[in-house]
Amino acid sequence: MEIIGISDLPLHYGKVPNWLIPIMRRLSRAILDVMILEWGPDKILEKLSNPLWFQGFNNVIGMDWDSSGSTTVTLGILKEVVNPKDDGLAITGGKGKSSLNVPKELESLPSRFDLNVKRLARISKLIAKVDTTLLQDGHELYHHSLLVSESGRWIVIQQGMNPQTRFARRYHWKSVNDPVNQEREALAGVKSKAVLNVHASVNAKRTIMDLLRENPQKLERDYLRSMAILKGQSLESWMGTGTIGAISSEAKLVYMRPVDVKRIVKVIYEVQQGSPSDLEDALLLGVGPSTMRALSLISDLIYREPPSYEDPVNAPYDPFKYAYAIGGKDGIPFPVNREIAFEVIQTLEDFVTIAKLEKKDKALALNKLRDLRLGVKEGA
């Protein structure tokens, strides 16, 4: 249970109105205070790792229910209001070049965080490689955040963009030891007809690792032979040998994108100089999407070990109902109601203030709040 989900969202251009940003900050902080009091940092990470819960939180603080900006804005707001020293929770990385700051930001966290910074930095980079290289679904990553608790638990939330379909896709990861080989579960979004999903095929990954140990010049010949088979320009393709007959037209398109085979040969040679022991090493040493696509085709048509063409999205979900909390920035389902927003904020802040008075005995504080609410109802 390692990747909790993927969500597809239509691209929305524009920005959050200036007047709404302070409301989002204050409401996010108020909700966060309640969650820390009730659950603690580890449970908060568990909730945020679920794309459906994350979308609900995004909607509650005033973002549109279906906007791609929900990822960048929501994580940006959370990063602003989270205080690692006090909360035992930290958000690193972000949009664009900010995503590269994960290692540096991890190193600057308070000593109370029980972290293996070097390993977490490696995991962060590897997960980005997995979702661009082992899974090629037409979305280019442009946002990557690693969230970590003081106990060392972590999640990754990242987003990719597909300019052709005008959709963005959000990827959620939960603490795992081996991102290259652990399976995905409960993925939510819009399913594509075919993607290159090497991640889902154990045999294809094993064959590709074997290919990476081959003479790069031989791989160049095998790739050209595979393309000839794929295009129906060889005797093998006419005889229907291998898996070519089972590949759908959509899956064939995955392989038809241009590949500079000479450059791939150079990449493979450079990777070999690093003596990768496994696919994780190979990815971090430089194997990228084009190289993986070429190796997958060879594995498929020459060595009869195809990758999966199945899009891992498998659980469509409509989180629209959460948008009715205070409204959305673009007026969907209705404009943000400032009066309701501030009423919610004040209620949550009052709850936290009262509860913190009894921090040593949280149960007693909650009982007092419950009695207070009952007294108000009886006197009404």
Side-chain angles (χ1 to χ4, degrees), residues 259-311:
V259 169
D260 184 344
V261 69
K262 295 295 183 183
R263 180 178 174 278
I264 286 174
V265 167
K266 182 180 179 182
V267 168
I268 292 174
Y269 176 78
E270 292 174 349
V271 168
Q272 288 177 345
Q273 303 314 299
S275 302
S277 60
D278 52 27
L279 196 52
E280 177 176 316
D281 285 343
L283 289 171
L284 295 177
L285 283 169
V287 171
S290 296
T291 302
M292 185 57 62
R293 208 158 58 245
L295 293 172
S296 298
L297 184 60
I298 296 170
S299 173
D300 190 347
L301 299 186
I302 304 298
Y303 295 96
R304 313 295 190 255
E305 291 293 353
S308 171
Y309 303 110
E310 287 293 320
D311 191 327

Side-chain angles (χ1 to χ4, degrees), residues 74-89:
T74 300
L75 286 171
I77 291 289
L78 281 175
K79 189 172 184 178
E80 288 182 18
V81 302
V82 166
N83 185 332
K85 183 179 179 180
D86 296 332
D87 300 330
L89 180 71

Side-chain angles (χ1 to χ4, degrees), residues 48-60:
L48 290 171
S49 71
N50 186 313
L52 314 183
W53 196 95
F54 182 94
Q55 193 65 29
F57 180 87
N58 151 80
N59 295 342
V60 165

Side-chain angles (χ1 to χ4, degrees), residues 129 132-133 136 196 257 287-294:
K129 291 287 290 186
T132 55
T133 302
Q136 298 185 37
L196 180 62
R257 293 168 59 191
V287 171
S290 296
T291 302
M292 185 57 62
R293 208 158 58 245

Side-chain angles (χ1 to χ4, degrees), residues 16-33 57 61-62 73-74 76-82 326 342 345 349:
V16 178
N18 291 333
W19 60 265
L20 182 55
I21 292 176
I23 293 176
M24 286 182 165
R25 288 187 185 126
R26 192 173 168 189
L27 185 53
S28 296
R29 183 65 246 185
I31 295 173
L32 188 66
D33 280 335
F57 180 87
I61 66 171
V73 173
T74 300
I77 291 289
L78 281 175
K79 189 172 184 178
E80 288 182 18
V81 302
V82 166
I326 65 170
F342 283 118
I345 291 169
E349 290 177 343

Side-chain angles (χ1 to χ4, degrees), residues 95-265:
K95 184 177 179 181
K97 292 183 178 180
S98 296
S99 64
L100 304 177
N101 295 334
V102 170
K104 184 178 179 180
E105 292 177 1
L106 287 174
E107 291 175 355
S108 67
L109 292 178
S111 58
R112 66 183 286 191
F113 281 76
D114 182 20
L115 307 178
N116 183 334
V117 172
K118 185 175 180 179
R119 176 58 180 162
L120 276 178
R122 181 182 174 91
I123 284 282
S124 172
K125 184 176 180 180
L126 182 61
I127 285 176
K129 291 287 290 186
V130 168
D131 280 339
T132 55
T133 302
L134 292 188
L135 174 62
Q136 298 185 37
D137 55 12
H139 296 76
E140 297 179 7
L141 293 186
Y142 69 96
H143 185 106
H144 174 95
S145 291
L146 183 144
L147 292 73
V148 63
S149 71
E150 61 186 356
S151 70
R153 296 289 300 275
W154 60 266
I155 66 172
V156 166
I157 300 174
Q158 52 191 11
Q159 182 156 288
M161 180 188 297
N162 187 325
Q164 282 70 46
T165 62
R166 293 177 60 82
F167 269 82
R169 177 173 285 195
R170 189 169 63 238
Y171 310 79
H172 293 246
W173 289 76
K174 195 176 177 181
S175 295
V176 296
N177 294 320
D178 185 4
V180 169
N181 295 308
Q182 290 182 272
E183 294 294 328
R184 297 174 172 90
E185 293 186 12
L187 287 80
V190 179
K191 201 174 185 70
S192 299
K193 290 184 178 180
V195 302
L196 180 62
N197 188 0
V198 180
H199 189 263
S201 175
V202 174
N203 289 338
K205 284 185 286 189
R206 185 180 299 119
T207 301
I208 286 168
M209 195 60 221
D210 290 339
L211 290 173
L212 282 168
R213 299 186 178 100
E214 292 270 8
N215 185 325
Q217 300 302 323
K218 180 181 182 300
L219 293 179
E220 179 181 3
R221 294 193 296 272
D222 283 346
Y223 175 74
L224 295 175
R225 176 185 165 196
S226 299
M227 287 301 292
I229 296 173
L230 189 65
K231 295 177 180 179
Q233 298 171 350
S234 74
L235 181 62
E236 291 166 290
S237 62
W238 285 103
M239 294 175 63
T241 58
T243 60
I244 185 64
I247 299 180
S248 67
S249 58
E250 291 85 2
K252 290 177 183 177
L253 290 175
V254 173
Y255 288 132
M256 290 298 189
R257 293 168 59 191
V259 169
D260 184 344
V261 69
K262 295 295 183 183
R263 180 178 174 278
I264 286 174
V265 167

